[in-house]
Amino acid sequence: MDAIQERDAASEAASPVTAAPAAKSRFGVRFALGLLLPIALGIAWEIGVAKGYLQARLMPPPSRIFKTLYDLAITGELWIHIGATLARVFAGFALGTIFGTLIGAVAGASRVSKDIVDPMLQGLRSVPSIAWVPLFILWLGIFEQSKIALIAVGCFFPVYLGVLGAISSVDRKTVEVGRIFRLSQFQLVRRILLPAILPAYVLSLRQGLGLGWMFVVAAEFMGASEGLGYLLTDGQQLGKADQIIAAILTFAVLGKITDGLLAAASKPFLTWQDAFAPKN
Amino acid sequence: MLNIQSVDKVYPNGTRALDRVGLNVEQGEIVAVVGGSGCGKSTLLRLAAGLDQATRGCIELDGEIISAPHECVGMIFQEPRLLPWLTVAGNVGFGISHLPRAKREAIVGEVLLRVGLSDYAERWPRELSGGQAQRVAIARALAPRPKVLLLDEPFSALDAFTRASLHEHVLDLWRAFKPTLVLVTHDVEEAAYLADRVIVMRPRPGRISSVFDLDLKRPRDRYSPELEAAKRRILNALDQSLRERTAGDELVPAAAI
Ligand SMILES: Nc1ncnc2c1ncn2[C@@H]1O[C@H](COP(=O)(O)OP(=O)(O)OP(=O)(O)O)[C@@H](O)[C@H]1O
Ligand SMILES: [Mg+2]
């Protein structure tokens, strides 16, 4: 008996050990594959500039861009710009998420509230968001408030639509399970509705954050003395293409990191999901 | 105990799902409801569970009119309806979350043992087979020890062997706590084996077409001649109720059948 159990335990322990490195190396291979194209392009670019096929002033080679980034980083300038932009994105994202969630929940609560709230918001949604800029500047001044308001508008709509859509797609049959066990209205929300809408909600948050990163650039074009958007306009005015590309790269990295953090933070709550996951 | 007083149910789309259905279920009785697809069996259970309102007539439990789910009434749906974000143990304990943790875990362990899924407590619903999911749903309904248990074809997704063993589980449980059971089923043998009374329904509109009292001794033998005879009588009644429908159905010309 003991021997059998031991063998079982041993084989059980053995399988994850063999599985883990395989998974890790597969991840490594995929990561390397993803890097292949950008590195090849970078090398070609570098060579093109060195041979004089490309104009270094308009198309600075990767080495120049990294030098610029490095210089910005050691003078501390880069961190100031990153900090300013991050603060704006987070403030706008937080505001947009709070309002999007609350109003989405209100609209999802009943048909009447949806009929009241939704048409107006759908109408506002079709206004190109940049069109708000003059109004926000008039109302809130050219400093932080108007920028944050613009970003918040950008984040609001995906979150609002996500919450509303998720609530209206909760299955009546699932809700009935809560009813048969006599959950109160509050418990029904907490124990059935919230978990049921969570996956769609996380997705809409990620969309909202993505839009937040887009809108922060527009907001910083409105005139800012710091921020990655400022690096862009400054680079344009002074003809510093390397600074522009350095700022773009920073945007890409920050966008990816914040999205990854959001996804990772929600993952523990979503392990139950039975989603379609393509292999390799 | 459970007194269904001549209820009608007309759905908003005009479907007449139940037409003057009356039924009085005694305390501790096992009643089976059989009938073709669409004759209103699920509708009847939903009304008794308080999930839906009758269009006319009412349903009483010990003299109390049922207008919302009642704490003494449990229900097993036609589909498992497990909550995908809870583990098996979480699902089974869903209806007894007001109990202290230790008590709850003890009950969950006990009912999981009953349905033979003790080793699956920490699994997610997506990791279960259809029959296992249905057994978890049964365990979930059993956990609060309902006095009345409404079962909507709970065994139809199971293989014959598991089904037979769950029949024994249900009978064990019934002997231990004497709950009142109302069991909807397609399976005449299941009805005859388990029930004290078998109700045969006919569709369009859903009505009770005949009632059989089976006073066979328990424990019963699935293959005894008495049970075979009862099965035959029920099958005949079912057959006849279906034929009545086609004869009386003006919308379907006889030539088209
Ligand atoms: N929500 C609903 N709205 C409208 N009609 C419905 C609804 N639910 C059921 N019906 C109709 O009511 C009738 C009875 O349905 P019910 O689900 O009670 O049948 P059933 O006897 O349980 O059938 P089955 O054995 O196939 O489960 C059917 O004709 C069905 O189409
Ligand atoms: Mg049914």
Side-chain angles (χ1 to χ4, degrees):
Chain A
M1 184 68 201
D2 270 350
I4 291 173
Q5 263 176 1
E6 241 163 63
R7 207 184 52 209
D8 275 358
S11 64
E12 229 165 67
S15 51
V17 170
T18 49
K24 213 175 261 172
S25 74
R26 197 170 337 115
F27 178 77
V29 168
R30 285 178 50 196
F31 193 71
L33 278 179
L35 284 179
L36 208 60
L37 198 56
I39 289 179
L41 277 176
I43 292 174
W45 192 343
E46 196 76 49
I47 294 173
V49 172
K51 297 253 177 194
Y53 301 132
L54 297 169
Q55 261 192 9
R57 195 180 69 80
L58 292 180
M59 304 206 54
S63 59
R64 269 277 298 286
I65 294 165
F66 286 118
K67 175 82 172 45
T68 308
L69 261 180
Y70 178 75
D71 289 343
L72 283 171
I74 54 166
T75 56
E77 228 182 305
L78 182 63
W79 310 117
I80 292 174
H81 295 307
I82 287 180
T85 299
L86 270 180
R88 287 174 189 137
V89 170
F90 282 136
F93 176 61
L95 270 179
T97 299
I98 291 170
F99 281 104
T101 307
L102 288 179
I103 299 178
V106 168
S110 76
R111 169 159 286 153
V112 177
S113 56
K114 182 181 170 188
D115 286 346
I116 293 174
V117 172
D118 198 52
M120 184 179 86
L121 286 177
Q122 294 295 349
L124 289 179
R125 190 167 75 101
S126 54
V127 176
S129 308
I130 309 295
W132 295 111
V133 169
L135 200 57
F136 284 162
I137 291 181
L138 214 56
W139 285 347
L140 302 167
I142 54 164
F143 299 111
E144 292 306 311
Q145 286 96 325
S146 57
K147 295 185 175 55
I148 290 171
L150 182 64
I151 299 166
V153 168
C155 298
F156 170 83
F157 283 107
V159 176
Y160 164 77
L161 290 175
V163 171
L164 179 58
I167 291 180
S168 28
S169 66
V170 173
D171 194 356
R172 170 185 62 82
K173 295 184 169 181
T174 315
V175 176
E176 274 176 7
V177 173
R179 286 181 57 206
I180 203 80
F181 288 113
R182 295 157 44 89
L183 298 191
S184 66
Q185 208 65 23
F186 172 74
Q187 285 176 321
L188 205 61
V189 170
R190 192 176 66 78
R191 298 181 63 193
I192 303 270
L193 286 179
L194 280 185
I197 69 169
L198 195 62
Y201 185 55
V202 168
L203 219 56
S204 69
L205 286 187
R206 289 173 66 182
Q207 271 173 354
L209 186 62
L211 280 183
W213 279 107
M214 286 190 185
F215 277 75
V216 76
V217 180
E220 289 178 342
F221 279 177
M222 277 156 53
S225 53
E226 51 191 29
L228 293 169
Y230 162 78
L231 277 187
L232 291 175
T233 43
D234 184 62
Q236 182 205 345
Q237 275 156 13
L238 302 180
K240 292 195 283 193
D242 51 342
Q243 185 178 314
I244 295 178
I245 298 176
I248 289 175
L249 279 181
T250 315
F251 268 124
V253 170
L254 286 178
K256 189 82 191 143
I257 288 178
T258 48
D259 182 61
L261 285 177
L262 196 54
S266 59
K267 193 148 189 201
F269 303 103
L270 297 177
T271 42
W272 53 268
Q273 258 189 310
D274 192 9
F276 166 70
K279 286 193 177 148
N280 288 328
Chain B
M1 175 182 207
L2 183 67
N3 193 3
I4 299 170
Q5 299 170 355
S6 179
V7 295
D8 286 8
K9 176 67 186 176
V10 183
Y11 279 108
N13 66 3
T15 308
R16 200 169 184 79
L18 293 178
D19 187 56
R20 274 175 288 149
V21 171
L23 175 65
N24 195 0
V25 185
E26 299 298 328
Q27 163 99 49
E29 191 182 13
I30 305 181
V31 170
V33 180
V34 298
S37 182
C39 66
K41 307 181 298 291
S42 296
T43 304
L44 185 64
L45 281 203
R46 291 176 56 81
L47 295 182
L51 288 173
D52 235 338
Q53 297 300 316
T55 314
R56 204 177 60 89
C58 69
I59 298 181
E60 285 180 358
L61 181 72
D62 290 330
E64 192 183 335
I65 290 183
I66 289 190
S67 56
H70 192 283
E71 69 179 319
C72 301
V73 181
M75 169 121 178
I76 298 171
F77 295 97
Q78 204 165 351
E79 325 80 27
R81 300 200 187 180
L82 300 183
L83 304 174
W85 54 85
L86 294 178
T87 59
V88 166
N91 267 286
V92 174
F94 188 79
I96 50 172
S97 53
H98 53 280
L99 296 180
R101 193 194 172 90
K103 183 103 194 281
R104 191 171 67 222
E105 279 169 3
I107 294 179
V108 168
E110 187 195 315
V111 290
L112 276 180
L113 190 67
R114 265 188 196 286
V115 296
L117 289 175
S118 295
D119 295 340
Y120 291 73
E122 294 313 316
R123 292 248 197 149
W124 296 106
R126 69 180 141 92
E127 299 165 330
L128 301 177
S129 73
Q132 288 167 342
Q134 190 62 21
R135 277 143 75 195
V136 174
I138 294 171
R140 177 175 66 187
L142 293 182
R145 298 255 164 78
K147 277 202 266 174
V148 179
L149 190 54
L150 309 169
L151 307 96
D152 195 352
E153 296 182 36
F155 310 125
S156 56
L158 305 173
D159 62 278
F161 180 75
T162 314
R163 186 186 312 197
S165 92
L166 277 172
H167 288 164
E168 297 314 317
H169 279 318
V170 167
L171 288 175
D172 275 351
L173 195 90
W174 178 77
R175 271 188 289 270
F177 306 108
K178 283 281 151 80
T180 307
L181 302 180
V182 181
L183 168 76
V184 165
T185 175
H186 273 140
D187 183 347
V188 170
E189 169 174 331
E190 184 171 281
Y193 181 64
L194 294 176
D196 298 313
R197 198 142 53 110
V198 178
I199 312 290
V200 179
M201 290 184 69
R202 41 155 283 190
R204 283 198 263 169
R207 278 192 187 148
I208 292 181
S209 66
S210 43
V211 177
F212 294 90
D213 281 306
L214 305 179
D215 21 62
L216 306 174
K217 265 200 225 53
R218 294 178 193 275
R220 293 177 184 173
D221 174 3
R222 259 175 222 280
Y223 305 104
S224 71
E226 294 90 344
L227 207 115
E228 287 294 335
K231 261 166 61 181
R232 206 161 312 124
R233 274 186 293 147
I234 298 167
L235 270 175
N236 277 338
L238 252 179
D239 217 32
Q240 202 172 346
S241 78
L242 288 177
R243 223 170 305 129
E244 259 169 44
R245 188 197 84 198
T246 35
D249 212 329
E250 286 129 29
L251 291 175
V252 186
I257 300 170

